[in-house]
Structure formats: structure tokens, C-alpha cells
Amino acid sequence: MNVIETSQLTHRYGRTDAVQGLDLAVPEGSVFALLGPNGAGKTTTIKILMNLLAPTSGTARILGVDSRRLGPSELAQIGYVSENQQLPLWMTVAGVIAYCRPLYPTWDRALEATLLEQFELPRERKLRHLSRGILMKTALLISLAYRPKLLILDEPFSGLDPLARDEFARGLLEASTAGDWTILVSSHDIEEVERLCDWVGILEMGRLRSAEATEGLLRRFRWVEVAMPAVATVPPVIRSSWLDLAHSTNLVRFAESAYEGDISEQAYRDCFPGASVSVRPMSLREIFIAQARATRTQRKGAAA
Amino acid sequence: MKTFWSILKKDCRRLAVPFALWLFVLGFNLWLAVTTKVPMAMVGNPLVTIGLITGTTVYWVLTVILSAGVILEDPPKGTAAFWLTRPLARGEVVAAKMSLLAGLVLLPVLVHSAALIGLGASGRTVALSALEQCLREGGVPFMTAALAITAEAFGQFAINAILIVIGAVVVAVITQILLAKHHGASTPHLPQTPNSLGASTALATEILSFAFAGGVLVWRYLRRHARFTILVVALGSLLLVLTPIFWKWDFLNHWRVQRGQTLPHRSQLRFFPTEAKGGNRPYAFAVLSLSSDAAGNVTVPRQLSKIEFIWSGGERTPLASFLNLQTLPLARYAPESLSKLLAPVAILNLPRRAVVPMTLPAMPPALRRRLTREPATFHAEVVASVRRYEIMGELPLKLGASKSWGLFDTEVQGWDLTAAGVTVTLREGSTASMLAGALGYAEGTQIEESRGGGRRSPSDFGSICLLVNRSRREALLPAEVTAEGITKFGAYVAQRYTLDFSSEAVNQAWLDQAVLVRVRFVELASADGNLDFEGLILSPPMP
């Protein structure tokens, strides 16, 4: 079952298409990372999901309800942490917790205490006096303590220093063991997301480039380097699954997006006879960059 | 309901500091109003004057801040507000906000009602006054809140509010000028703020402001994705500014009478010159007891034989101002204890062409002798004594001589000596009156005769100009004061006053030694120490 489903979701700001025909499905229980560069449409998509923005066309369903009809009963099952959200900075940490507590019938005081201790939050300090990292952890606490079915994190690592990022990510990982929730996290900070997510969706220019389980994605992508005995030439046939292809004097490099083990490696040897072929796994970051470059190249080609 | 209380408590905590300050200022204003028993124009102590002005200003500024704060704490605009992603029912959010705004309206009403009860007002007076105040002052918090929904932060709200209000006023002024030109008037009527709910226009405007502000608030919170909010609020503000101009339906059914006109039988007759003159306040109000003849007709006399009570929205005592005592209900039902507090105002707000002859027991003997020796000169229509007065200053009777009286300047423009006496022409103007005129708060731009109003002038109430010859120890009181509004570029800028000092004894030699002395009345009383309306004869302003 999918906790989030969008169908041909589109949102325009004036003449700019922020999201174009997005078909997204977030499976229940997954930690789904929505990756994309700045301006890819991640935040817009999340705002539509949270009913903060109305879609120009298409639909978005969240917990089985049309996002436009999200009411208090659905919002009580959704946790939302965003870099853009205006927290009541005049409140203390204890104050904001006390304010939120009665709003949620499922608020778990034991979990609240655990998270308070785990996140090492200063209870009596006002939010305006907190560092960004502590602030985000506070936001995370008031979004987790009621054990939401769905946790949506919009650019949670933005503006955090490396230590704070690490603490936040660790806190999220530890907290996630306390509940069986689905997490949708948008970010352009791929390293942090990589260790959290088991599903990845890549958005670019408002379109979804890919969405699949991280395991499958990492299995599918390989970085291939072909060392030629003489001056390297681009083979006459370039497969569509080869992304970000580059060549130097006697070296050809590309990202294979449809790696099938021995079959693929045999194909490389057929294409580059006598060459030495090395294949290595790619990180999520490398996959993301390879895809982004490929898209850019395609766009340039289309424009030309 | 849990959500409702959560939001209510949270907003109260958030606004605790300005709210406490607001309550303090409310209490301070009440204290100052109770202890200052003379109209603003007559307050001698500059500290008290500053306190009165500052107190009122701060109170309204804080009211605006609180009203906007209630909304901006959980703004319906934008996508970043904390409440938007929390399980808060929109209906409960808007109910909490409306309750807080209602509190800002009702709390002062409670304070005022308590003060009125303390002063001995009847339950009916208190109830009517409370209703009046709710209608009159409720518009401010609710309209502020309506403006606040166009913004996500206070700075944005301030800019939007200023632009929308200025825009609405500019459109209204242009409309008035175009209307005046269309009707061939030489000077356009500027938009006026109907101040009295005794006027249908004012009542309609107040009700509209409530309906609009409340409606737009509920609509915006319940339908959060509504577009064109700023446009809707701007149009609403414009509607409120234009209503006083275009509203013609006098649903309060005021009587329009002429002096000497024969009317159908009525036991009571009420005058509301506000409606009839298009002015912005009822500067005179009378309830008359008249009897009918055999045919059932009532004739309005040329001079009214008895005024039960006369009240004006012009120069008010701080207490009257604080308690909003300027309307029909209170005027009719004010108890004796209140009448005493309000009486100086009632006495001092005079209708057009009224003259102020009086006995001045505390004046120098020569001056007093002069005044009492020729009572016929002064058309003894108003009888009251000045218990205490002070001389504000003097102005030499020379062409171009001028004197600053604080906010305004008086300049001698000329005089005309005849066998019957001397007529002195003064010109008064001030930055404040220019601004008031530009904003449409002036009484009108076609004033031809003196009227009771809020401006200080030689004929104004609370002070008067005497022509004094010190060497002869003689003083003349003006027999008649007329005023003419001066407009420039369609805006009221000043007034020209003509003071008619009737006395055959005055000649050039007398005038050479004369100065204009401005006297301010500090305390008025009748001979027995109480203000007495019996024998008060006024010519009420007629349409």
C-alpha cells in the first residue's frame, strides 16, 4: 500500500512549471528520499502534499485522502519538519511541547521524554535562542512524539553544520526504531540521505526522473572505466543506458544505468575490443550527478 | 474545544506584554479622564494635555498592534505558518481569533460600564452606552484584523495597511472632488467620518465595517487558498470610506424641520444636524417637549423655550471622550452626576450665531461693570457664570499681528470701525487643521457661520476673545461671532473669524489702546453653584 500517491501532479507559479505531471508513490514503511537540485520542485511537491499549496492540476493523495481535503484527523497522523516552517520562536522548548501535546490524541509522553533526553534539548530555553540544529531537533521531537504514520521532512539538513547534520540524522535513525512510520525526506544533501533511505526518487525540473528502491538503484548503476591500448575513440554505438560519457586520450568513462553483471561487462568488451574494463559500484551521490548531467546534455541536444 | 482553548491560551501568552500595557493605558486613561473635569481646550496643565493625547494615542496604537498580533500569530496567508500543518480545525482557529478580537472590544466596554455605574448612571444608560461603544470602537480591531490577513509578518501588515488606507482615502477624496464638480459646487465636500451612531450613515458604516471585517476573516481562515485577498480587503476598505459619501438612506428617520414650520403632532422632537448638514458630528442635539394645538399641530418656535439637554461631539471633557458619551442615549438618560461632568461641554458648544453673554463674578470690577452695564448688547441668551477663568494671552490690535496659541496661530486681518462698534477680523490656521481638512475631518469646507466644533477659535467653546482697553479699564465681549472656512486646493486650511464688538463708546482713540485678550473658562457654574439648564435659550442649527 502506498502512503503517498500523486497522479499527474502539476503546479505552476505564473508561467513557471514547478512540478510537471508528477506520478509518485511512496510505499508504506519506507524511508523515501526525494532528491533533486535546488528548484527541482521538491518543496513544492511537499507543500502540495501538506495542503499548503493547491495543485494546478492532477491529484495528490496522502494517507488515502486527497491532499486538498486534509483535515485535523489526518494531520494528527502526519509529522512535518521543514526548514521553511515558522516555529513559534517566542516559546520555550517545554512550551512548544506543551502547546502541541493536547493537539494530538496519540501523544506519547514516554517517547517525548525519551526524545528529549536523546536529543539533549534545553527545556527552558526559548526557541529563538537555539542553534539551527537544536531547533530542527525540537521540530523533529514535536513531529515524532505522537507516533505519526507519516513523517515528512523538507530539507531538514539545510543550514546545519556537519556535526548538527550528523546528530540530526542519528537522532532520526534512532527515533525511527521507536515506530513503524513512513518517512518522506526531501533533500539535495545526498550523503546524509543515503544512510537513511531505502527508496529514492529523483526530481529534476519538476519531473520525476526515477523512483525505486535504493538497493535496486545502487545495483543498477555502475561506474565503468575503459582503458584503451591506443588513442581512445568513442565507439560508434552508444547505448542509451550509458550516462555522462566522457573520454580522454586513452580512457572512456561512463555511468551504466542498466548494469546486469557479466552480461553488461561482456557487452563493454565487445564494444571496446582489447581494452581493459573496470567496473565499480556508484554512490547515490554519483548516480544523482550522472543523471543530472545526462539530463542537461539531453536538454542541450534537444535545444540544438 | 480543546484546540480553541489551546490557541486562546497560546495567543494570550504571546501577547501578554502588549496586552498588559494596553490594560495599564486603559486604566491610566480612565484615571486621567475622571480627574480632569474640563474639556480638552480648557485643560491648563500641559502635562495633563500631553497625558490625555498620549494616553489615547498609545491606547489605539496598542489596540492595532494587539489586533494584528492576534492574526499574525497564526496567519492564514502563506505556507510557512506553524498551525497550518498541525491538527487544528480551521473553524476553531477562527473562533479563537474572533473571541480575542471581541475581548479587545468588550474589555474596554466593561471598564467604561463600571465607570458609568460608579458615576451613578442607570442600567439603561450603561446598556445603551455599551452598545454604542461596541459598535463604534469594535470596527478598529476587526478592520485591523482584516488588514492583517493580507500579511504573514508585522512589517508586511504595516505596509499593506498604510497603502490600503491611503489608497482608499485618496480614492474617496477624488470621488468627492469629482462629485462636487459634477454638482457644480465651488468647494468640494471632503469625505467625512460620521462620528455619531445617531446618524444613519454612521450606523450603516459601522455595521458594514463589522460585517466586512468579520466576513473576510472567517472566509480567509476557512478557505485558506482564497486568492485576491489584498484586493478584497482593499475594496472593502474603499467601500467603508465611500459609504459615508454615498449612503443616502436615512433609516433612522430623522426629522428635518425649519424654524417656525408647522409639524404634525409629536410629543418630542429630535434634531440631528449631523445628517442634515452632512457634517461629521452632531454638534448640537436637543430633545424638546412641545405641545400641540387643537388641530394636533406643533409649531417649532423661533427660539426654543427649553432645552432638556444639549450635547455635542465637539469639545468634550476627557471623561466624556473616554466614555464615548456623545450620543442620543446618554444625552437623554444622563443622570445628574453625569450631567455635571458633561455640562461644561454642553454649555460651551454653541450653535451658530449664538452669543455668550454672561456674568463674570471673578473678573476685575471694571470689566465686570462694563459687561453688566449694557446687558442688552449681548442678547442674553445663555446664562451661565464663569467661576474660574484664566487669561491665555493677548494680541495687539494691529494689522498682521499674530499670536501662537500652541497648535494654531491667530492673525489680525483687519477691523472696521463704525458708529455701532468695531468688527475685528481674525484668521486662524494650523498644520493640524490643514491635515484634518485634507483627511476630511474638518467640519466642512463651506462654513459660513460659527458652529460648535472641536477647533479652538475665538468663538470656540472654552475660550473667547475680549477687546480690552486697559487704560480705561473697559472690556467688550463680542456680540456676535461669525466664521468662514477657507479652502485651498479643495482642502480646508483655515478659518476667518469676524468678531462684532458692538459699542457706541468705541472710537479710534479707544481702539488705539485696545488689545485682544483671550480668556479661557476653567469652570462654569450658575449662581447657585450648579449648572442649570433652565433659561438656556439656543437657536438650534437647522438643516
CSV table of all heavy atoms in Angstrom, one decimal, chain A residues 252-297:
chain,number,residue,atom,x,y,z
A,252,VAL,N,37.9,5.9,-21.6
A,252,VAL,CA,36.5,6.2,-21.8
A,252,VAL,C,35.8,5.9,-20.5
A,252,VAL,O,36.0,4.9,-19.9
A,252,VAL,CB,35.8,5.4,-22.9
A,252,VAL,CG1,34.3,5.6,-23.0
A,252,VAL,CG2,36.5,5.7,-24.3
A,253,ARG,N,35.0,6.9,-20.0
A,253,ARG,CA,34.3,6.7,-18.7
A,253,ARG,C,32.8,7.0,-18.9
A,253,ARG,O,32.4,7.9,-19.6
A,253,ARG,CB,34.8,7.6,-17.7
A,253,ARG,CG,36.2,7.2,-17.2
A,253,ARG,CD,36.7,8.2,-16.2
A,253,ARG,NE,37.0,9.5,-16.9
A,253,ARG,CZ,37.7,10.5,-16.4
A,253,ARG,NH1,38.2,10.4,-15.2
A,253,ARG,NH2,37.9,11.6,-17.1
A,254,PHE,N,32.0,6.2,-18.2
A,254,PHE,CA,30.6,6.5,-18.3
A,254,PHE,C,29.9,5.8,-17.1
A,254,PHE,O,30.5,4.9,-16.4
A,254,PHE,CB,29.9,6.0,-19.6
A,254,PHE,CG,30.1,4.6,-19.9
A,254,PHE,CD1,29.2,3.6,-19.4
A,254,PHE,CD2,31.2,4.1,-20.7
A,254,PHE,CE1,29.4,2.3,-19.7
A,254,PHE,CE2,31.4,2.8,-21.0
A,254,PHE,CZ,30.5,1.9,-20.5
A,255,ALA,N,28.7,6.2,-16.8
A,255,ALA,CA,27.9,5.6,-15.7
A,255,ALA,C,26.9,4.7,-16.4
A,255,ALA,O,26.1,5.1,-17.3
A,255,ALA,CB,27.1,6.7,-14.9
A,256,GLU,N,26.9,3.4,-16.1
A,256,GLU,CA,26.0,2.5,-16.6
A,256,GLU,C,24.7,2.5,-15.7
A,256,GLU,O,24.8,2.3,-14.5
A,256,GLU,CB,26.6,1.1,-16.6
A,256,GLU,CG,25.7,-0.1,-16.9
A,256,GLU,CD,25.2,0.0,-18.4
A,256,GLU,OE1,25.9,-0.5,-19.3
A,256,GLU,OE2,24.1,0.6,-18.5
A,257,SER,N,23.6,2.7,-16.4
A,257,SER,CA,22.4,2.8,-15.6
A,257,SER,C,21.5,1.5,-15.7
A,257,SER,O,20.4,1.5,-15.2
A,257,SER,CB,21.5,4.0,-16.1
A,257,SER,OG,21.2,3.9,-17.4
A,258,ALA,N,22.1,0.5,-16.4
A,258,ALA,CA,21.3,-0.7,-16.5
A,258,ALA,C,22.3,-1.9,-16.4
A,258,ALA,O,22.4,-2.8,-17.3
A,258,ALA,CB,20.6,-0.8,-17.9
A,259,TYR,N,23.0,-1.9,-15.3
A,259,TYR,CA,24.1,-2.9,-15.1
A,259,TYR,C,23.5,-4.3,-14.8
A,259,TYR,O,22.6,-4.4,-14.0
A,259,TYR,CB,25.0,-2.5,-14.0
A,259,TYR,CG,26.1,-3.4,-13.8
A,259,TYR,CD1,27.2,-3.5,-14.7
A,259,TYR,CD2,26.2,-4.2,-12.6
A,259,TYR,CE1,28.3,-4.4,-14.4
A,259,TYR,CE2,27.3,-5.0,-12.4
A,259,TYR,CZ,28.3,-5.1,-13.3
A,259,TYR,OH,29.3,-6.0,-13.1
A,260,GLU,N,23.9,-5.3,-15.6
A,260,GLU,CA,23.4,-6.6,-15.4
A,260,GLU,C,24.5,-7.6,-15.2
A,260,GLU,O,24.5,-8.7,-15.7
A,260,GLU,CB,22.6,-7.0,-16.6
A,260,GLU,CG,21.3,-6.2,-16.8
A,260,GLU,CD,20.6,-6.5,-18.1
A,260,GLU,OE1,21.1,-6.2,-19.1
A,260,GLU,OE2,19.5,-7.2,-18.0
A,261,GLY,N,25.5,-7.2,-14.5
A,261,GLY,CA,26.6,-8.1,-14.2
A,261,GLY,C,27.5,-8.5,-15.4
A,261,GLY,O,27.9,-7.7,-16.2
A,262,ASP,N,27.7,-9.8,-15.5
A,262,ASP,CA,28.5,-10.4,-16.5
A,262,ASP,C,28.1,-10.0,-17.9
A,262,ASP,O,28.9,-9.7,-18.9
A,262,ASP,CB,28.6,-11.9,-16.4
A,262,ASP,CG,29.4,-12.3,-15.2
A,262,ASP,OD1,30.1,-11.4,-14.6
A,262,ASP,OD2,29.2,-13.4,-14.7
A,263,ILE,N,26.7,-10.0,-18.1
A,263,ILE,CA,26.2,-9.6,-19.4
A,263,ILE,C,26.7,-8.2,-19.9
A,263,ILE,O,27.1,-8.0,-21.0
A,263,ILE,CB,24.7,-9.7,-19.4
A,263,ILE,CG1,24.2,-11.1,-19.0
A,263,ILE,CG2,24.1,-9.3,-20.8
A,263,ILE,CD1,22.7,-11.2,-18.7
A,264,SER,N,26.6,-7.3,-18.9
A,264,SER,CA,27.0,-5.9,-19.2
A,264,SER,C,28.5,-5.9,-19.5
A,264,SER,O,28.9,-5.2,-20.5
A,264,SER,CB,26.6,-5.0,-18.1
A,264,SER,OG,25.3,-4.9,-17.9
A,265,GLU,N,29.2,-6.6,-18.7
A,265,GLU,CA,30.7,-6.5,-18.8
A,265,GLU,C,31.1,-7.1,-20.1
A,265,GLU,O,32.1,-6.6,-20.8
A,265,GLU,CB,31.4,-7.2,-17.6
A,265,GLU,CG,31.2,-6.3,-16.4
A,265,GLU,CD,31.9,-6.9,-15.2
A,265,GLU,OE1,32.9,-7.6,-15.3
A,265,GLU,OE2,31.5,-6.5,-14.0
A,266,GLN,N,30.5,-8.2,-20.6
A,266,GLN,CA,30.8,-8.7,-21.9
A,266,GLN,C,30.5,-7.7,-23.0
A,266,GLN,O,31.2,-7.6,-24.0
A,266,GLN,CB,29.9,-10.0,-22.1
A,266,GLN,CG,30.2,-10.8,-23.4
A,266,GLN,CD,31.7,-11.2,-23.5
A,266,GLN,OE1,32.3,-11.8,-22.6
A,266,GLN,NE2,32.3,-10.8,-24.6
A,267,ALA,N,29.4,-7.0,-22.8
A,267,ALA,CA,29.0,-6.0,-23.8
A,267,ALA,C,30.1,-4.9,-23.9
A,267,ALA,O,30.4,-4.5,-25.0
A,267,ALA,CB,27.6,-5.4,-23.4
A,268,TYR,N,30.6,-4.5,-22.7
A,268,TYR,CA,31.7,-3.5,-22.8
A,268,TYR,C,32.9,-4.0,-23.6
A,268,TYR,O,33.5,-3.3,-24.4
A,268,TYR,CB,32.1,-3.1,-21.4
A,268,TYR,CG,31.0,-2.7,-20.4
A,268,TYR,CD1,31.1,-3.0,-19.1
A,268,TYR,CD2,29.9,-2.0,-20.9
A,268,TYR,CE1,30.1,-2.6,-18.2
A,268,TYR,CE2,28.9,-1.6,-20.1
A,268,TYR,CZ,29.0,-1.9,-18.7
A,268,TYR,OH,28.0,-1.6,-17.9
A,269,ARG,N,33.3,-5.3,-23.3
A,269,ARG,CA,34.4,-5.8,-24.0
A,269,ARG,C,34.2,-5.9,-25.5
A,269,ARG,O,35.1,-5.7,-26.3
A,269,ARG,CB,34.8,-7.2,-23.5
A,269,ARG,CG,35.6,-7.1,-22.1
A,269,ARG,CD,36.1,-8.4,-21.7
A,269,ARG,NE,35.1,-9.3,-21.1
A,269,ARG,CZ,34.8,-9.3,-19.9
A,269,ARG,NH1,35.3,-8.4,-19.0
A,269,ARG,NH2,33.8,-10.1,-19.4
A,270,ASP,N,32.9,-6.2,-25.9
A,270,ASP,CA,32.6,-6.3,-27.3
A,270,ASP,C,32.7,-4.9,-27.9
A,270,ASP,O,33.1,-4.7,-29.1
A,270,ASP,CB,31.1,-6.8,-27.5
A,270,ASP,CG,31.0,-8.3,-27.1
A,270,ASP,OD1,32.1,-8.9,-26.9
A,270,ASP,OD2,29.9,-8.7,-26.8
A,271,CYS,N,32.3,-3.9,-27.2
A,271,CYS,CA,32.3,-2.5,-27.7
A,271,CYS,C,33.7,-2.0,-27.8
A,271,CYS,O,34.0,-1.2,-28.7
A,271,CYS,CB,31.5,-1.6,-26.9
A,271,CYS,SG,29.7,-1.7,-27.2
A,272,PHE,N,34.5,-2.4,-26.8
A,272,PHE,CA,35.9,-1.8,-26.8
A,272,PHE,C,36.9,-3.0,-26.8
A,272,PHE,O,37.4,-3.4,-25.8
A,272,PHE,CB,36.1,-1.0,-25.5
A,272,PHE,CG,35.2,0.1,-25.3
A,272,PHE,CD1,34.0,-0.1,-24.5
A,272,PHE,CD2,35.3,1.3,-26.0
A,272,PHE,CE1,33.2,1.0,-24.3
A,272,PHE,CE2,34.5,2.3,-25.8
A,272,PHE,CZ,33.3,2.2,-25.0
A,273,PRO,N,37.1,-3.6,-28.0
A,273,PRO,CA,37.9,-4.8,-28.1
A,273,PRO,C,39.4,-4.4,-27.6
A,273,PRO,O,39.9,-3.4,-28.0
A,273,PRO,CB,37.9,-5.1,-29.6
A,273,PRO,CG,36.8,-4.3,-30.2
A,273,PRO,CD,36.5,-3.2,-29.3
A,274,GLY,N,39.9,-5.3,-26.9
A,274,GLY,CA,41.3,-5.2,-26.4
A,274,GLY,C,41.5,-4.2,-25.3
A,274,GLY,O,42.6,-4.0,-24.8
A,275,ALA,N,40.4,-3.6,-24.9
A,275,ALA,CA,40.5,-2.6,-23.8
A,275,ALA,C,40.4,-3.3,-22.4
A,275,ALA,O,39.8,-4.4,-22.3
A,275,ALA,CB,39.4,-1.6,-23.9
A,276,SER,N,40.9,-2.6,-21.5
A,276,SER,CA,40.8,-3.1,-20.1
A,276,SER,C,39.6,-2.3,-19.5
A,276,SER,O,39.6,-1.1,-19.4
A,276,SER,CB,42.1,-2.7,-19.3
A,276,SER,OG,41.8,-2.7,-18.0
A,277,VAL,N,38.6,-3.1,-19.0
A,277,VAL,CA,37.4,-2.5,-18.5
A,277,VAL,C,37.4,-2.7,-17.0
A,277,VAL,O,37.5,-3.8,-16.5
A,277,VAL,CB,36.2,-3.2,-19.1
A,277,VAL,CG1,34.9,-2.6,-18.5
A,277,VAL,CG2,36.2,-3.0,-20.6
A,278,SER,N,37.2,-1.6,-16.2
A,278,SER,CA,37.0,-1.7,-14.8
A,278,SER,C,35.6,-1.2,-14.4
A,278,SER,O,35.2,-0.2,-14.9
A,278,SER,CB,38.1,-1.0,-14.0
A,278,SER,OG,37.9,0.4,-14.2
A,279,VAL,N,34.9,-1.9,-13.6
A,279,VAL,CA,33.6,-1.6,-13.2
A,279,VAL,C,33.5,-1.5,-11.6
A,279,VAL,O,34.0,-2.4,-11.0
A,279,VAL,CB,32.6,-2.7,-13.6
A,279,VAL,CG1,31.2,-2.4,-13.2
A,279,VAL,CG2,32.6,-2.8,-15.2
A,280,ARG,N,32.9,-0.4,-11.1
A,280,ARG,CA,32.8,-0.3,-9.7
A,280,ARG,C,31.4,0.3,-9.3
A,280,ARG,O,30.8,1.0,-10.1
A,280,ARG,CB,33.9,0.6,-9.1
A,280,ARG,CG,33.9,2.0,-9.5
A,280,ARG,CD,34.8,2.9,-8.6
A,280,ARG,NE,34.8,4.3,-9.1
A,280,ARG,CZ,33.9,5.2,-8.8
A,280,ARG,NH1,32.8,4.8,-8.0
A,280,ARG,NH2,33.9,6.4,-9.2
A,281,PRO,N,30.9,0.0,-8.1
A,281,PRO,CA,29.6,0.5,-7.7
A,281,PRO,C,29.7,2.0,-7.6
A,281,PRO,O,30.7,2.6,-7.3
A,281,PRO,CB,29.4,-0.2,-6.4
A,281,PRO,CG,30.4,-1.3,-6.3
A,281,PRO,CD,31.5,-0.9,-7.1
A,282,MET,N,28.5,2.6,-7.7
A,282,MET,CA,28.4,4.0,-7.5
A,282,MET,C,27.7,4.4,-6.3
A,282,MET,O,26.8,3.7,-5.8
A,282,MET,CB,27.7,4.6,-8.7
A,282,MET,CG,28.4,4.5,-10.0
A,282,MET,SD,27.4,5.1,-11.4
A,282,MET,CE,27.4,6.9,-11.2
A,283,SER,N,28.1,5.5,-5.7
A,283,SER,CA,27.3,6.0,-4.6
A,283,SER,C,26.0,6.7,-5.1
A,283,SER,O,25.9,7.1,-6.3
A,283,SER,CB,28.2,7.0,-3.8
A,283,SER,OG,28.3,8.2,-4.5
A,284,LEU,N,25.2,7.0,-4.2
A,284,LEU,CA,23.9,7.7,-4.5
A,284,LEU,C,24.2,9.0,-5.1
A,284,LEU,O,23.6,9.5,-6.1
A,284,LEU,CB,23.0,7.8,-3.3
A,284,LEU,CG,21.5,7.9,-3.5
A,284,LEU,CD1,21.0,6.8,-4.3
A,284,LEU,CD2,20.8,7.9,-2.1
A,285,ARG,N,25.2,9.7,-4.5
A,285,ARG,CA,25.6,11.0,-5.0
A,285,ARG,C,26.1,10.9,-6.4
A,285,ARG,O,25.7,11.8,-7.3
A,285,ARG,CB,26.7,11.5,-4.1
A,285,ARG,CG,27.3,12.9,-4.5
A,285,ARG,CD,28.5,13.2,-3.6
A,285,ARG,NE,29.2,14.3,-4.2
A,285,ARG,CZ,28.9,15.6,-4.1
A,285,ARG,NH1,27.8,15.9,-3.4
A,285,ARG,NH2,29.6,16.5,-4.6
A,286,GLU,N,26.9,9.9,-6.7
A,286,GLU,CA,27.4,9.8,-8.1
A,286,GLU,C,26.3,9.5,-9.1
A,286,GLU,O,26.3,10.0,-10.2
A,286,GLU,CB,28.5,8.7,-8.2
A,286,GLU,CG,29.8,9.1,-7.5
A,286,GLU,CD,30.8,7.9,-7.4
A,286,GLU,OE1,30.3,6.8,-7.1
A,286,GLU,OE2,32.0,8.1,-7.6
A,287,ILE,N,25.4,8.7,-8.7
A,287,ILE,CA,24.2,8.3,-9.5
A,287,ILE,C,23.4,9.6,-9.8
A,287,ILE,O,23.1,9.9,-11.0
A,287,ILE,CB,23.3,7.3,-8.8
A,287,ILE,CG1,24.1,6.0,-8.7
A,287,ILE,CG2,22.0,7.1,-9.6
A,287,ILE,CD1,23.4,4.9,-7.9
A,288,PHE,N,23.2,10.4,-8.7
A,288,PHE,CA,22.4,11.6,-8.9
A,288,PHE,C,23.1,12.6,-9.9
A,288,PHE,O,22.4,13.1,-10.8
A,288,PHE,CB,22.3,12.2,-7.5
A,288,PHE,CG,21.6,13.6,-7.5
A,288,PHE,CD1,20.3,13.7,-7.7
A,288,PHE,CD2,22.4,14.7,-7.3
A,288,PHE,CE1,19.7,14.9,-7.8
A,288,PHE,CE2,21.8,16.0,-7.4
A,288,PHE,CZ,20.4,16.1,-7.6
A,289,ILE,N,24.4,12.7,-9.7
A,289,ILE,CA,25.1,13.6,-10.6
A,289,ILE,C,25.1,13.1,-12.0
A,289,ILE,O,24.9,13.9,-13.0
A,289,ILE,CB,26.6,13.9,-10.0
A,289,ILE,CG1,26.5,14.7,-8.7
A,289,ILE,CG2,27.5,14.6,-11.1
A,289,ILE,CD1,27.8,14.8,-8.0
A,290,ALA,N,25.3,11.9,-12.2
A,290,ALA,CA,25.4,11.3,-13.5
A,290,ALA,C,24.0,11.5,-14.2
A,290,ALA,O,24.0,11.9,-15.4
A,290,ALA,CB,25.7,9.8,-13.5
A,291,GLN,N,23.0,11.3,-13.5
A,291,GLN,CA,21.6,11.5,-14.1
A,291,GLN,C,21.4,13.0,-14.4
A,291,GLN,O,20.8,13.3,-15.4
A,291,GLN,CB,20.6,11.0,-13.1
A,291,GLN,CG,20.5,9.5,-13.1
A,291,GLN,CD,19.1,9.0,-12.5
A,291,GLN,OE1,18.6,9.7,-11.6
A,291,GLN,NE2,18.6,7.9,-13.0
A,292,ALA,N,21.8,13.8,-13.5
A,292,ALA,CA,21.6,15.3,-13.7
A,292,ALA,C,22.4,15.7,-14.9
A,292,ALA,O,21.8,16.5,-15.7
A,292,ALA,CB,22.1,16.1,-12.5
A,293,ARG,N,23.6,15.2,-15.1
A,293,ARG,CA,24.4,15.7,-16.2
A,293,ARG,C,23.8,15.1,-17.5
A,293,ARG,O,23.7,15.8,-18.5
A,293,ARG,CB,25.8,15.1,-16.1
A,293,ARG,CG,26.7,16.0,-15.2
A,293,ARG,CD,28.1,15.6,-15.2
A,293,ARG,NE,28.9,16.3,-14.3
A,293,ARG,CZ,30.0,15.9,-13.7
A,293,ARG,NH1,30.4,14.7,-13.9
A,293,ARG,NH2,30.7,16.7,-12.9
A,294,ALA,N,23.3,13.9,-17.4
A,294,ALA,CA,22.7,13.3,-18.6
A,294,ALA,C,21.5,14.1,-19.1
A,294,ALA,O,21.3,14.4,-20.3
A,294,ALA,CB,22.3,11.9,-18.3
A,295,THR,N,20.7,14.5,-18.1
A,295,THR,CA,19.5,15.3,-18.4
A,295,THR,C,19.9,16.6,-19.1
A,295,THR,O,19.3,17.1,-20.1
A,295,THR,CB,18.7,15.6,-17.1
A,295,THR,OG1,18.5,14.4,-16.5
A,295,THR,CG2,17.4,16.2,-17.4
A,296,ARG,N,21.0,17.2,-18.5
A,296,ARG,CA,21.4,18.5,-19.0
A,296,ARG,C,21.9,18.3,-20.5
A,296,ARG,O,21.6,19.2,-21.4
A,296,ARG,CB,22.5,19.1,-18.2
A,296,ARG,CG,22.6,20.6,-18.3
A,296,ARG,CD,23.6,21.1,-17.3
A,296,ARG,NE,23.2,20.8,-15.9
A,296,ARG,CZ,24.0,20.8,-14.9
A,296,ARG,NH1,25.3,21.0,-15.1
A,296,ARG,NH2,23.6,20.5,-13.7
A,297,THR,N,22.6,17.3,-20.7
A,297,THR,CA,23.1,17.0,-22.1
A,297,THR,C,22.0,16.8,-23.0
A,297,THR,O,22.0,17.4,-24.2
A,297,THR,CB,24.0,15.8,-22.1
A,297,THR,OG1,25.0,15.9,-21.0
A,297,THR,CG2,24.8,15.6,-23.4
